[in-house]
Amino acid sequence: MQEYKLFINGEWVESSSGETFEDISPATLEVIAKLQKASEEDVERAADSAQDAFEKWSSTPAPARGKILFRAARMLEERKEELARLMTIEMGKILKESRGDVQEAIDITYYAAGEGRRLLGETTPSELPDKFCMTVRRPIGVVGLITPWNFPLAIPAWKVMPALISGNTVVFKPASDTPLLSIELVKILSEAGLPKGVLNLVTGEGGKVGSAIVHNKKIRAISFTGSVETGRWVQGEAGKGMKRVSLELGGKNPVIVMDDADIDIAIDGVIWGAFGTTGQRCTAASRVIVHEKILPGFQEKLIRRTRQLRLGSGLDDATDVGPVVNNSQLQKIAKYVEIGKEDGAKLVLGGKIVKPLPGYFFEPTIFTDVTPDMRIAREEIFGPVLSLMRAGSLEEAIYIANSVIYGLSSSIYTGNIRSAFRAIEKIEAGITYINAPPIGAEIHLPFGGVKATGNGTREAGTTAIEEFTEIKTVYFDYSGKLQKAQIDVA
Ligand code: UN1
């Protein structure tokens, strides 16, 4: 079995704690790798090396930084299939989704590389003569990146690439369930020519390693994707250190299906949105709010179609739904099914742990008669559990959609332009899809949510650069005398 190390200052090193942990394939329960449990001291060394590398990296012209990223993107492309297979083995998602995950990483890497020739600021006239005004972007410094297991390569790339092109140096902690793709990413960047110390990788327990990153004084910004609970803690702790924080947290994403929708397209979208990635996306469709006029037919067809989904190994082409990532997630999903039943929802499909293979599998599950007050309608489950809800009008559907603490993604199926625009206007979410499921964000558009889903920042798109740069405003006075703004202007 392969053993992996920490990457600090351009070298693969063992943890000073001497402790390791195992990486387990969720489909087969095979141990696939052994990894280091980094200590606080290791995080300190990683941050020191990032700090030392900052001066040179931030002074490297951004297009030159971009060249390294372009090389890395090409290497990711060449290794796409191999990386996708590794992802399916390590995380469980089916191979075609793993390919999508790798592709998303390739796309953001090219995109960030190209940003090296933009990193745009503004120019604007001055209120005074012979004076020039502009803004320039500066890197923040050392940034701490903490990523989840559900997109083992795409989300690390969403954070690492924009951070690097902007001139920051990085301390990066991937999720303990899926560190291997991050290790490959670090190897690729380093082979592509990234100087030592610019990107440091520490693996280990969230509580210890994540906390050491959040508290480290040299780290000036934190970008975190994960649960609301942890996000709240990160925001509070990092706030005490006056760090910049960006958070991408949970979702309870609604799909509204109106009576004028194309039902078959809506059902395709709901099934893909709810059970794709085994429901383990922050953007997963976890509530479908259906107009009561079409509810019986919709429900019947949805159940019939969902019943056909095949569970199994993600490496098998016939599989639609892979395993859940680990046992604690599996138990959490099972617990929510019990809660749903106790709260009075009707379990009409699935609801059980099954074992097509030795690993962690949960049947695609549908509850009907779900009302907005029930916990399965309010809380993020992060598994293949869909709540079907009823609405009598668009207004009621939107009201239900907004009746949760989250606001990441959302969608509406309708043939009516007015309903679509009403939904765009009124649904409280960072993302709204029209006639498409709430998953599948593209990397050149901002990604993020409102309410408890985040703290107002957005990843990807042009906002990716905002996340990782400081703006400096420059006033250049070439008048050869003292000019006073607001005062010399009559
Ligand atoms: C996530 O679920 O954490 O939009 C991110 C999507 C993906 C990214 C999801 N491109 O579903």
Side-chain angles (χ1 to χ4, degrees), residues 86 95 117 130 145 165 180 186 194 199 209 218 237 246 261 287 289 298 321 323 365 406 408 418 420-421 435 455 461:
L86 179 62
L95 203 47
R117 289 198 181 265
D130 299 334
L145 312 179
I165 198 65
L180 295 189
V186 167
L194 198 69
L199 174 61
V209 182
K218 296 207 166 98
E237 292 304 299
S246 22
R287 298 179 291 154
I289 305 160
F298 181 92
V321 181
T365 298
Y406 298 107
L408 181 52
R418 269 181 295 163
F421 273 94
N435 293 332
N455 59 344

Side-chain angles (χ1 to χ4, degrees), residues 139-219:
I140 299 172
V142 181
V143 299
L145 312 179
I146 304 175
T147 59
W149 47 261
N150 66 334
F151 278 82
L153 194 57
I155 294 182
W158 276 14
K159 294 189 195 293
V160 168
M161 302 306 172
L164 291 179
I165 198 65
S166 303
N168 301 284
T169 55
V170 175
V171 177
F172 166 35
K173 183 210 167 297
S176 298
D177 282 307
T178 58
L180 295 189
L181 277 301
S182 294
I183 287 174
E184 293 309 314
L185 187 67
V186 167
K187 282 196 213 159
I188 284 171
L189 276 161
S190 150
E191 218 177 295
L194 198 69
K196 74 179 170 75
V198 172
L199 174 61
N200 303 273
L201 173 123
V202 282
T203 51
E205 293 153 291
K208 195 183 252 173
V209 182
S211 167
I213 291 175
V214 168
H215 290 124
N216 189 286
K217 292 208 164 56
K218 296 207 166 98
I219 296 177

Side-chain angles (χ1 to χ4, degrees), residues 62-83:
R65 295 196 292 255
K67 276 192 184 156
I68 298 174
L69 268 58
F70 274 121
R71 273 202 291 276
R74 286 195 294 269
M75 290 161 76
L76 285 166
E77 248 174 346
E78 280 158 20
R79 294 181 54 194
K80 179 172 172 181
E81 193 59 26
E82 171 213 338
L83 293 170

